[in-house]
Amino acid sequence: MSVNLKKPALVQLIGDLIAEELTRLRPAESNEWRRRRWLPTDELVPQSKATGEATGKTTDSAGNEIVIDSLEWMAIAGRVVQFFQMEESGIEDYLLRKNRLDEWSEIVQKARDIASNNITVTTSGSTGQPKPCRHPWAQLTGEADYFAELISTQNTSVQRVITLVPSHHIYGLLFSVLLPDILDVPVIRGFSAFQQVTGGSLQPGDLVIGFPEALTQATKLLSHIPNEVTFTTSSGPCPAETINALYEAGASRVIEIYGSSETAGIGYRFSPEQPFLLLPRWQQESINTLQEKHTQQSYELPDKLNWLSDKSFIVSERVDSAVVIKGTNVYPSRVMTLIESHPAVSAAAVRQKKPAEGKGLKAFVVLKNHSEKITEADLKHWLSEHLLDIEVPTHITFGDAIPANEIGKQQDWSL
């Protein structure tokens, strides 16, 4: 089925890209941007031309104004150009001449008509710097078509899509933009979607697009799910108890999707006790690689898989890449595991510092008890007894929760 992005979808995608950039540039306002409902009349306005209070934030008194400075404008426009691959159209500079999101959507649509309609998403950066991942439009729509057909064979008639994920991630694009378009059903987003899921307002025919953390929270609030409500989850391993709890509450189907930003979907299953089934566009090439059947292109698997047949597998081990520090391979996952074995530590994340932060590793640590007296120096000393000097994080940040993005994937933090 041919799928073209309509104006409402383009406005939503552009809005979510704006939210991503402003969250990155203004971390203290992240909740404001993630919760925002994007409208075609929303307008990017330089601070000097704002009609509301010139605070640099969204102002209710200024209607739909999003007050930004020139550097933020360039960053936002650059992210939109990258996502829609507009550099091939020659008209990307028009984004700097227009203000409203509906005007931007028209420019994006024109660029897609002139040149590429392919898409570039970025990784979450959970194991390093976010990197761009280019996806042919035909492959994206083909995958959405496949899942639309799969859902229709599960005796489920979808009437609404209720999405808890933003549209600009690969999972959100496939399941909250392309799939609803194919099914020709409305989409409920943002806080309204969360209220529908947790407030007892689900209806027969709802398709809930979730992720592990959100669904785990939802199961604590849900007592009953109406008939013919389907859930999907992706972006990371979903606890088996969460999926089982959804079934016990009445879910018709829970579709667990395995994939990555680089590959899009790889496989799916309906139960934690089942293996994943390989999507038809893939074939196993080697123990560590997949091959896309149509293009013959090879992709490195994001994790170690245990193949049960040429069409089914289980995920046997998550893979974290080594980073090179002073010429030596260092594995952040090994350091993280050791930190989490400390009696006072509840959770930890470890990653290589960005160039501007210096050299070596940095760690983010959540303690089991806020009254713990362990200090950065204490933890470094303890780690030095178990690790090489280059493996000991040079900077340790303590906090209440591991930094994560809007779909629960770990993300970077500032020193």
Side-chain angles (χ1 to χ4, degrees):
M1 177 181 292
S2 175
V3 180
N4 293 309
L5 290 176
K6 300 181 177 67
K7 180 176 283 190
L10 287 170
V11 168
Q12 184 65 46
L13 284 163
I14 293 168
D16 284 343
L17 292 168
I18 292 173
E20 180 183 68
E21 281 304 304
L22 290 179
T23 295
R24 182 178 65 83
L25 296 168
R26 307 178 192 175
E29 300 173 15
S30 60
N31 287 334
E32 175 186 349
W33 299 116
R34 288 173 182 174
R35 287 200 301 263
R36 185 184 175 91
R37 181 186 177 198
W38 297 98
L39 300 171
T41 50
D42 284 341
E43 188 173 11
L44 300 175
V45 180
Q47 203 160 19
S48 60
K49 296 183 178 179
T51 59
E53 296 178 11
T55 61
K57 298 181 180 179
T58 306
T59 55
D60 292 338
S61 59
N64 299 101
E65 287 185 348
I66 303 162
V67 183
I68 57 175
D69 63 32
S70 58
L71 292 178
E72 290 172 334
W73 195 312
M74 293 293 289
I76 291 168
R79 184 70 183 91
V80 172
V81 169
Q82 179 195 44
F83 184 88
F84 292 104
Q85 300 185 20
M86 294 176 64
E87 67 277 7
E88 302 174 22
S89 71
I91 65 170
E92 63 273 22
D93 287 350
Y94 282 87
L95 293 178
L96 302 178
R97 305 178 192 179
K98 300 293 183 180
N99 298 64
R100 291 176 21 147
L101 264 60
D102 57 350
E103 295 173 324
W104 276 37
S105 71
E106 291 169 3
I107 297 169
V108 169
Q109 186 58 67
K110 184 68 174 177
R112 289 170 59 80
D113 293 341
I114 293 174
S116 171
N117 59 7
N118 298 329
I119 294 293
T120 297
V121 299
T122 57
T123 63
S124 63
S126 57
T127 57
Q129 291 296 313
K131 66 177 183 180
C133 307
R134 298 169 69 92
H135 290 275
W137 186 247
Q139 289 183 2
L140 294 174
T141 57
E143 183 170 329
D145 270 335
Y146 179 79
F147 277 105
E149 179 66 22
L150 177 72
I151 292 169
S152 71
T153 62
Q154 301 301 309
N155 298 322
T156 299
S157 176
V158 177
Q159 303 298 320
R160 303 188 303 178
V161 168
I162 299 175
T163 179
L164 305 176
V165 303
S167 63
H168 65 297
H169 293 279
I170 187 67
Y171 174 46
L173 177 65
L174 287 164
F175 285 83
S176 78
V177 177
L178 302 187
L179 186 62
D181 192 275
I182 293 170
L183 297 172
D184 192 24
V185 295
V187 184
I188 299 175
R189 300 181 183 277
F191 189 57
S192 296
F194 183 78
Q195 288 178 304
Q196 291 282 328
V197 175
T198 61
S201 301
L202 290 175
Q203 302 172 9
D206 282 343
L207 172 62
V208 180
I209 312 302
F211 57 94
E213 185 176 332
L215 295 183
T216 299
Q217 290 298 318
T219 57
K220 298 175 182 176
L221 303 170
L222 285 169
S223 57
H224 173 69
I225 298 172
N227 294 331
E228 297 188 7
V229 174
T230 300
F231 291 78
T232 70
T233 179
S234 188
S235 84
C238 190
E241 52 267 32
T242 295
I243 294 175
N244 291 334
L246 290 171
Y247 276 124
E248 289 169 5
S252 175
R253 277 293 185 193
V254 183
I255 307 175
E256 188 178 4
I257 299 146
Y258 174 72
S260 69
S261 299
E262 293 90 338
T263 60
I266 293 175
Y268 67 90
R269 63 183 178 183
F270 297 125
S271 166
E273 287 74 37
Q274 295 177 338
F276 285 96
L277 300 177
L278 190 68
L279 290 178
R281 77 182 180 96
W282 296 110
Q283 60 188 5
Q284 185 187 8
E285 184 179 61
S286 72
I287 193 67
N288 297 317
T289 59
L290 286 175
Q291 186 181 65
E292 207 281 328
K293 289 181 180 176
H294 179 68
T295 62
Q296 302 290 298
Q297 185 173 351
S298 297
Y299 291 83
E300 187 173 354
L301 284 163
D303 302 296
K304 292 181 180 178
L305 306 186
N306 180 15
W307 290 92
L308 305 180
S309 71
D310 60 350
K311 295 180 180 178
S312 64
F313 61 88
I314 58 175
V315 181
S316 60
E317 186 178 345
R318 308 294 294 185
V319 174
D320 288 315
S321 301
V323 299
V324 178
I325 298 176
K326 296 182 179 180
T328 301
N329 285 340
V330 174
Y331 291 85
S333 59
R334 162 180 145 81
V335 179
M336 180 196 72
T337 301
L338 181 61
I339 294 175
E340 289 185 333
S341 72
H342 189 285
V345 174
S346 171
V350 176
R351 67 172 57 215
Q352 189 174 24
K353 286 183 170 179
K354 292 181 287 191
E357 296 172 335
K359 297 182 179 178
L361 298 178
K362 62 181 181 181
F364 193 100
V365 173
V366 179
L367 297 177
K368 289 180 178 176
N369 188 329
H370 292 302
S371 63
E372 293 284 356
K373 300 299 183 185
I374 186 171
T375 67
E376 180 177 1
D378 293 335
L379 190 53
K380 284 182 176 177
H381 177 72
W382 183 80
L383 290 170
S384 68
E385 296 177 347
H386 303 274
L387 298 172
L388 300 173
D389 288 347
I390 56 173
E391 293 179 299
V392 177
T394 55
H395 193 283
I396 298 175
T397 301
F398 293 92
D400 294 332
I402 301 298
N405 66 12
E406 59 269 53
I407 56 174
K409 299 194 78 171
Q410 287 188 15
Q411 64 179 17
D412 200 4
W413 62 92
S414 300
L415 295 182

